[in-house]
Amino acid sequence: MVGGQMSNCIVESPPLKTSTHPLDLNWIRAQFPSLSQNVKGHPAAFLDGPGGTQVPQRVIDAISDYLRTSNANTCGAYTTSRQTDQVIAGARAAMADFLGCDADEVVFGPNMTSLTFAISRAIGRESGPGDEILLTHLDHDANISPWRALEERGVKIQFADIHQEDCSLDLEDLTSKITSRTKLVAVGYASNAVGTINDVKTIVRLAHEAGALTYIDAVHYAPHGPIDVRELDCDFLACSTYKFFGPHMGVLCGKREHLARLTPYKIRANTEAVPQRWEWGTLNHECIAGITTCVEYLAELGQRSEQVSDRRQAIQAAYRAIQMHEHILMKKMLRGLSEIRGLRLYGINSPRSRCPTFAVRIETHTPLELATRLGERGIFTWDGNYYAINLTERLGVEKDGGFLRIGFVHYNTEEEVDRVLDALSGDLDR
Ligand SMILES: Cc1ncc(COP(=O)(O)O)c(C=O)c1O
């Protein structure tokens, strides 16, 4: 059986944090073995979280323990198969605590993109001319192309614009495009390119008032803030565990009524049970085992900072602490970036309504040159459009290499902020 199997109640009580800093960074960084690596004599600074985060040792252990002790297909009449069924059920319960839904509303898949195609194709079956789908220019293409695919059925695609000066969503424009023809509004919780956090709850309300469904891409938001699908009242919400300290998997939460009513494209042998009717073929069981421990890592983090009684509360406590720490990183980073000559920040210039994901350009270097120079100093960042192609096109930077993206998560430190600022303000060609 995979170690550390979940229960909804946390039994052990690790010590509460007593220092004034919101997070015990020593404990946190000790959980992640990859963070201690060196690159060409420099400590590795993982500022590439928006592309995928590092994983705690317990996630690595859970994956290998599963393969060592429980490796089997599901629903067989023997021990390891039954253990596998339990591993999957446990991960569903863990993700239900993470998202604030019921376990039978949690669907596993290879990644967010394929889960989104699964839902868009099912919605496409009942869509046609006269129907509209509203998307945004801020979104990752995984929340755009699956919906644009329905144009071949005669569905009209609308786009909500952004305020170009700070890359926030133009809510007025969005509101004006929600009409009685709108079948679905698909919007990101947070932008993986520029860090904007959207007022998703309001958008869901506006969509529902017009009778439209809502599909929330929470991939970029998930490492930064707590998710409560009941509070949002969204119809679907998708995320990827590899962006919040877990293995490479996607997770979809759908309201039970939709998961039961919509018709998936699936093979006959696949069950009609909810939610398994949305999971086709054999899943990645070892990664599913890792998902539970990734959620338990977050719960332990929360439990170390607040006295809490169950896993859901512990996860919420973790995000309170994470957000306080990320706020410190954001303030420092925004101040530092504003002092670098020739640097332009794309995005909100204050720590409010954003997460610590920074898109910048510097006059003298392309984003690829910047990422390469930083990489040589052990600082891992990204360049390009990160699939937020509508945004880079809208801002006119697509043809010039997009942005340099510097992304922080809770395991990053103030020293790492200083390092990247120093590197960007110094002679990059040295
Ligand atoms: C905001 C956002 N949405 C969707 C995706 C796609 O996720 P996946 O790789 O799980 O398909 C990404 C991946 O970078 C992302 O950042």
Side-chain angles (χ1 to χ4, degrees), residues 217-238:
D217 171 2
V219 171
H220 191 66
Y221 183 76
H224 304 295
I227 296 172
D228 189 333
V229 293
R230 294 273 184 272
E231 161 88 8
L232 295 176
D233 194 29
C234 54
D235 298 286
F236 301 95
L237 181 143

PDB file of all heavy atoms in Angstrom, residues 217-238:
ATOM      1  N   ASP A 217     -10.030  27.891 -15.956  1.00  0.00           N
ATOM      2  CA  ASP A 217      -8.676  27.332 -16.027  1.00  0.00           C
ATOM      3  C   ASP A 217      -7.914  27.824 -14.794  1.00  0.00           C
ATOM      4  O   ASP A 217      -7.497  28.984 -14.730  1.00  0.00           O
ATOM      5  CB  ASP A 217      -7.999  27.807 -17.319  1.00  0.00           C
ATOM      6  CG  ASP A 217      -6.511  27.449 -17.353  1.00  0.00           C
ATOM      7  OD1 ASP A 217      -6.019  26.816 -16.404  1.00  0.00           O
ATOM      8  OD2 ASP A 217      -5.850  27.837 -18.342  1.00  0.00           O
ATOM      9  N   ALA A 218      -7.764  26.925 -13.819  1.00  0.00           N
ATOM     10  CA  ALA A 218      -7.101  27.317 -12.564  1.00  0.00           C
ATOM     11  C   ALA A 218      -5.657  26.816 -12.527  1.00  0.00           C
ATOM     12  O   ALA A 218      -5.047  26.750 -11.457  1.00  0.00           O
ATOM     13  CB  ALA A 218      -7.874  26.776 -11.374  1.00  0.00           C
ATOM     14  N   VAL A 219      -5.109  26.462 -13.700  1.00  0.00           N
ATOM     15  CA  VAL A 219      -3.760  25.887 -13.710  1.00  0.00           C
ATOM     16  C   VAL A 219      -2.750  26.838 -13.071  1.00  0.00           C
ATOM     17  O   VAL A 219      -1.952  26.440 -12.223  1.00  0.00           O
ATOM     18  CB  VAL A 219      -3.330  25.527 -15.154  1.00  0.00           C
ATOM     19  CG1 VAL A 219      -1.853  25.133 -15.194  1.00  0.00           C
ATOM     20  CG2 VAL A 219      -4.177  24.397 -15.705  1.00  0.00           C
ATOM     21  N   HIS A 220      -2.790  28.088 -13.472  1.00  0.00           N
ATOM     22  CA  HIS A 220      -1.765  28.991 -12.941  1.00  0.00           C
ATOM     23  C   HIS A 220      -2.091  29.492 -11.536  1.00  0.00           C
ATOM     24  O   HIS A 220      -1.188  29.841 -10.770  1.00  0.00           O
ATOM     25  CB  HIS A 220      -1.543  30.182 -13.880  1.00  0.00           C
ATOM     26  CG  HIS A 220      -0.329  30.966 -13.477  1.00  0.00           C
ATOM     27  ND1 HIS A 220       0.940  30.433 -13.546  1.00  0.00           N
ATOM     28  CD2 HIS A 220      -0.180  32.194 -12.921  1.00  0.00           C
ATOM     29  CE1 HIS A 220       1.809  31.299 -13.079  1.00  0.00           C
ATOM     30  NE2 HIS A 220       1.158  32.376 -12.680  1.00  0.00           N
ATOM     31  N   TYR A 221      -3.361  29.520 -11.193  1.00  0.00           N
ATOM     32  CA  TYR A 221      -3.746  30.019  -9.871  1.00  0.00           C
ATOM     33  C   TYR A 221      -3.424  28.998  -8.766  1.00  0.00           C
ATOM     34  O   TYR A 221      -3.066  29.372  -7.638  1.00  0.00           O
ATOM     35  CB  TYR A 221      -5.245  30.329  -9.870  1.00  0.00           C
ATOM     36  CG  TYR A 221      -5.737  30.916  -8.576  1.00  0.00           C
ATOM     37  CD1 TYR A 221      -5.492  32.250  -8.248  1.00  0.00           C
ATOM     38  CD2 TYR A 221      -6.450  30.134  -7.666  1.00  0.00           C
ATOM     39  CE1 TYR A 221      -5.945  32.791  -7.052  1.00  0.00           C
ATOM     40  CE2 TYR A 221      -6.900  30.669  -6.466  1.00  0.00           C
ATOM     41  CZ  TYR A 221      -6.645  31.995  -6.169  1.00  0.00           C
ATOM     42  OH  TYR A 221      -7.079  32.535  -4.994  1.00  0.00           O
ATOM     43  N   ALA A 222      -3.525  27.722  -9.093  1.00  0.00           N
ATOM     44  CA  ALA A 222      -3.489  26.675  -8.056  1.00  0.00           C
ATOM     45  C   ALA A 222      -2.281  26.713  -7.122  1.00  0.00           C
ATOM     46  O   ALA A 222      -2.429  26.455  -5.925  1.00  0.00           O
ATOM     47  CB  ALA A 222      -3.628  25.306  -8.701  1.00  0.00           C
ATOM     48  N   PRO A 223      -1.046  27.021  -7.581  1.00  0.00           N
ATOM     49  CA  PRO A 223       0.047  27.074  -6.593  1.00  0.00           C
ATOM     50  C   PRO A 223       0.021  28.325  -5.725  1.00  0.00           C
ATOM     51  O   PRO A 223       0.766  28.408  -4.749  1.00  0.00           O
ATOM     52  CB  PRO A 223       1.312  27.072  -7.473  1.00  0.00           C
ATOM     53  CG  PRO A 223       0.863  27.540  -8.807  1.00  0.00           C
ATOM     54  CD  PRO A 223      -0.574  27.147  -8.958  1.00  0.00           C
ATOM     55  N   HIS A 224      -0.823  29.278  -6.070  1.00  0.00           N
ATOM     56  CA  HIS A 224      -0.770  30.585  -5.399  1.00  0.00           C
ATOM     57  C   HIS A 224      -1.947  30.889  -4.478  1.00  0.00           C
ATOM     58  O   HIS A 224      -1.833  31.743  -3.604  1.00  0.00           O
ATOM     59  CB  HIS A 224      -0.674  31.707  -6.443  1.00  0.00           C
ATOM     60  CG  HIS A 224       0.485  31.555  -7.367  1.00  0.00           C
ATOM     61  ND1 HIS A 224       1.793  31.632  -6.927  1.00  0.00           N
ATOM     62  CD2 HIS A 224       0.554  31.319  -8.697  1.00  0.00           C
ATOM     63  CE1 HIS A 224       2.615  31.456  -7.963  1.00  0.00           C
ATOM     64  NE2 HIS A 224       1.885  31.253  -9.038  1.00  0.00           N
ATOM     65  N   GLY A 225      -3.088  30.260  -4.710  1.00  0.00           N
ATOM     66  CA  GLY A 225      -4.251  30.631  -3.902  1.00  0.00           C
ATOM     67  C   GLY A 225      -5.190  29.460  -3.697  1.00  0.00           C
ATOM     68  O   GLY A 225      -5.183  28.488  -4.459  1.00  0.00           O
ATOM     69  N   PRO A 226      -6.027  29.552  -2.645  1.00  0.00           N
ATOM     70  CA  PRO A 226      -6.961  28.464  -2.342  1.00  0.00           C
ATOM     71  C   PRO A 226      -8.109  28.451  -3.348  1.00  0.00           C
ATOM     72  O   PRO A 226      -8.566  29.498  -3.788  1.00  0.00           O
ATOM     73  CB  PRO A 226      -7.481  28.843  -0.950  1.00  0.00           C
ATOM     74  CG  PRO A 226      -7.381  30.334  -0.897  1.00  0.00           C
ATOM     75  CD  PRO A 226      -6.202  30.714  -1.738  1.00  0.00           C
ATOM     76  N   ILE A 227      -8.554  27.263  -3.697  1.00  0.00           N
ATOM     77  CA  ILE A 227      -9.665  27.132  -4.654  1.00  0.00           C
ATOM     78  C   ILE A 227     -10.882  26.608  -3.905  1.00  0.00           C
ATOM     79  O   ILE A 227     -10.780  25.657  -3.115  1.00  0.00           O
ATOM     80  CB  ILE A 227      -9.276  26.181  -5.802  1.00  0.00           C
ATOM     81  CG1 ILE A 227      -8.108  26.792  -6.603  1.00  0.00           C
ATOM     82  CG2 ILE A 227     -10.474  25.924  -6.718  1.00  0.00           C
ATOM     83  CD1 ILE A 227      -7.516  25.867  -7.648  1.00  0.00           C
ATOM     84  N   ASP A 228     -12.012  27.229  -4.171  1.00  0.00           N
ATOM     85  CA  ASP A 228     -13.264  26.784  -3.559  1.00  0.00           C
ATOM     86  C   ASP A 228     -14.326  26.787  -4.650  1.00  0.00           C
ATOM     87  O   ASP A 228     -14.946  27.813  -4.923  1.00  0.00           O
ATOM     88  CB  ASP A 228     -13.647  27.728  -2.409  1.00  0.00           C
ATOM     89  CG  ASP A 228     -14.809  27.185  -1.597  1.00  0.00           C
ATOM     90  OD1 ASP A 228     -15.617  26.414  -2.156  1.00  0.00           O
ATOM     91  OD2 ASP A 228     -14.918  27.529  -0.404  1.00  0.00           O
ATOM     92  N   VAL A 229     -14.526  25.642  -5.275  1.00  0.00           N
ATOM     93  CA  VAL A 229     -15.436  25.603  -6.422  1.00  0.00           C
ATOM     94  C   VAL A 229     -16.884  25.861  -6.014  1.00  0.00           C
ATOM     95  O   VAL A 229     -17.658  26.398  -6.801  1.00  0.00           O
ATOM     96  CB  VAL A 229     -15.328  24.282  -7.223  1.00  0.00           C
ATOM     97  CG1 VAL A 229     -13.987  24.165  -7.915  1.00  0.00           C
ATOM     98  CG2 VAL A 229     -15.601  23.081  -6.364  1.00  0.00           C
ATOM     99  N   ARG A 230     -17.252  25.506  -4.784  1.00  0.00           N
ATOM    100  CA  ARG A 230     -18.630  25.778  -4.337  1.00  0.00           C
ATOM    101  C   ARG A 230     -18.838  27.283  -4.204  1.00  0.00           C
ATOM    102  O   ARG A 230     -19.871  27.816  -4.571  1.00  0.00           O
ATOM    103  CB  ARG A 230     -18.897  25.111  -2.991  1.00  0.00           C
ATOM    104  CG  ARG A 230     -18.888  23.622  -3.045  1.00  0.00           C
ATOM    105  CD  ARG A 230     -20.272  23.046  -3.421  1.00  0.00           C
ATOM    106  NE  ARG A 230     -20.221  21.594  -3.372  1.00  0.00           N
ATOM    107  CZ  ARG A 230     -19.853  20.796  -4.390  1.00  0.00           C
ATOM    108  NH1 ARG A 230     -19.513  21.313  -5.547  1.00  0.00           N
ATOM    109  NH2 ARG A 230     -19.837  19.494  -4.251  1.00  0.00           N
ATOM    110  N   GLU A 231     -17.844  27.937  -3.643  1.00  0.00           N
ATOM    111  CA  GLU A 231     -17.920  29.391  -3.458  1.00  0.00           C
ATOM    112  C   GLU A 231     -17.957  30.089  -4.827  1.00  0.00           C
ATOM    113  O   GLU A 231     -18.717  31.030  -5.036  1.00  0.00           O
ATOM    114  CB  GLU A 231     -16.691  29.799  -2.627  1.00  0.00           C
ATOM    115  CG  GLU A 231     -16.274  31.243  -2.660  1.00  0.00           C
ATOM    116  CD  GLU A 231     -16.989  32.072  -1.603  1.00  0.00           C
ATOM    117  OE1 GLU A 231     -17.684  31.463  -0.775  1.00  0.00           O
ATOM    118  OE2 GLU A 231     -16.858  33.309  -1.649  1.00  0.00           O
ATOM    119  N   LEU A 232     -17.142  29.607  -5.765  1.00  0.00           N
ATOM    120  CA  LEU A 232     -17.137  30.206  -7.112  1.00  0.00           C
ATOM    121  C   LEU A 232     -18.420  29.870  -7.858  1.00  0.00           C
ATOM    122  O   LEU A 232     -18.860  30.623  -8.719  1.00  0.00           O
ATOM    123  CB  LEU A 232     -15.950  29.689  -7.938  1.00  0.00           C
ATOM    124  CG  LEU A 232     -14.544  30.039  -7.474  1.00  0.00           C
ATOM    125  CD1 LEU A 232     -13.507  29.347  -8.358  1.00  0.00           C
ATOM    126  CD2 LEU A 232     -14.334  31.548  -7.514  1.00  0.00           C
ATOM    127  N   ASP A 233     -18.972  28.701  -7.562  1.00  0.00           N
ATOM    128  CA  ASP A 233     -20.165  28.176  -8.235  1.00  0.00           C
ATOM    129  C   ASP A 233     -19.906  27.868  -9.716  1.00  0.00           C
ATOM    130  O   ASP A 233     -20.844  27.853 -10.527  1.00  0.00           O
ATOM    131  CB  ASP A 233     -21.334  29.171  -8.077  1.00  0.00           C
ATOM    132  CG  ASP A 233     -22.664  28.542  -8.458  1.00  0.00           C
ATOM    133  OD1 ASP A 233     -22.789  27.313  -8.301  1.00  0.00           O
ATOM    134  OD2 ASP A 233     -23.553  29.264  -8.954  1.00  0.00           O
ATOM    135  N   CYS A 234     -18.642  27.666 -10.081  1.00  0.00           N
ATOM    136  CA  CYS A 234     -18.330  27.400 -11.502  1.00  0.00           C
ATOM    137  C   CYS A 234     -18.825  25.995 -11.887  1.00  0.00           C
ATOM    138  O   CYS A 234     -18.954  25.115 -11.048  1.00  0.00           O
ATOM    139  CB  CYS A 234     -16.827  27.508 -11.734  1.00  0.00           C
ATOM    140  SG  CYS A 234     -15.870  26.479 -10.632  1.00  0.00           S
ATOM    141  N   ASP A 235     -19.052  25.808 -13.172  1.00  0.00           N
ATOM    142  CA  ASP A 235     -19.543  24.514 -13.645  1.00  0.00           C
ATOM    143  C   ASP A 235     -18.404  23.520 -13.814  1.00  0.00           C
ATOM    144  O   ASP A 235     -18.563  22.334 -13.531  1.00  0.00           O
ATOM    145  CB  ASP A 235     -20.302  24.722 -14.960  1.00  0.00           C
ATOM    146  CG  ASP A 235     -21.497  25.616 -14.742  1.00  0.00           C
ATOM    147  OD1 ASP A 235     -22.486  25.142 -14.160  1.00  0.00           O
ATOM    148  OD2 ASP A 235     -21.429  26.819 -15.074  1.00  0.00           O
ATOM    149  N   PHE A 236     -17.273  24.036 -14.315  1.00  0.00           N
ATOM    150  CA  PHE A 236     -16.066  23.209 -14.478  1.00  0.00           C
ATOM    151  C   PHE A 236     -14.864  24.027 -14.043  1.00  0.00           C
ATOM    152  O   PHE A 236     -14.827  25.246 -14.238  1.00  0.00           O
ATOM    153  CB  PHE A 236     -15.863  22.808 -15.949  1.00  0.00           C
ATOM    154  CG  PHE A 236     -16.996  22.036 -16.531  1.00  0.00           C
ATOM    155  CD1 PHE A 236     -17.998  22.689 -17.250  1.00  0.00           C
ATOM    156  CD2 PHE A 236     -17.081  20.665 -16.360  1.00  0.00           C
ATOM    157  CE1 PHE A 236     -19.059  21.980 -17.794  1.00  0.00           C
ATOM    158  CE2 PHE A 236     -18.144  19.945 -16.904  1.00  0.00           C
ATOM    159  CZ  PHE A 236     -19.136  20.611 -17.621  1.00  0.00           C
ATOM    160  N   LEU A 237     -13.888  23.341 -13.501  1.00  0.00           N
ATOM    161  CA  LEU A 237     -12.621  23.992 -13.165  1.00  0.00           C
ATOM    162  C   LEU A 237     -11.520  22.953 -13.397  1.00  0.00           C
ATOM    163  O   LEU A 237     -11.651  21.804 -12.969  1.00  0.00           O
ATOM    164  CB  LEU A 237     -12.620  24.477 -11.725  1.00  0.00           C
ATOM    165  CG  LEU A 237     -11.346  25.192 -11.251  1.00  0.00           C
ATOM    166  CD1 LEU A 237     -11.696  26.357 -10.305  1.00  0.00           C
ATOM    167  CD2 LEU A 237     -10.400  24.214 -10.554  1.00  0.00           C
ATOM    168  N   ALA A 238     -10.481  23.376 -14.109  1.00  0.00           N
ATOM    169  CA  ALA A 238      -9.410  22.424 -14.416  1.00  0.00           C
ATOM    170  C   ALA A 238      -8.078  22.943 -13.885  1.00  0.00           C
ATOM    171  O   ALA A 238      -7.838  24.160 -13.862  1.00  0.00           O
ATOM    172  CB  ALA A 238      -9.314  22.212 -15.923  1.00  0.00           C
TER     173      ALA A 238
END
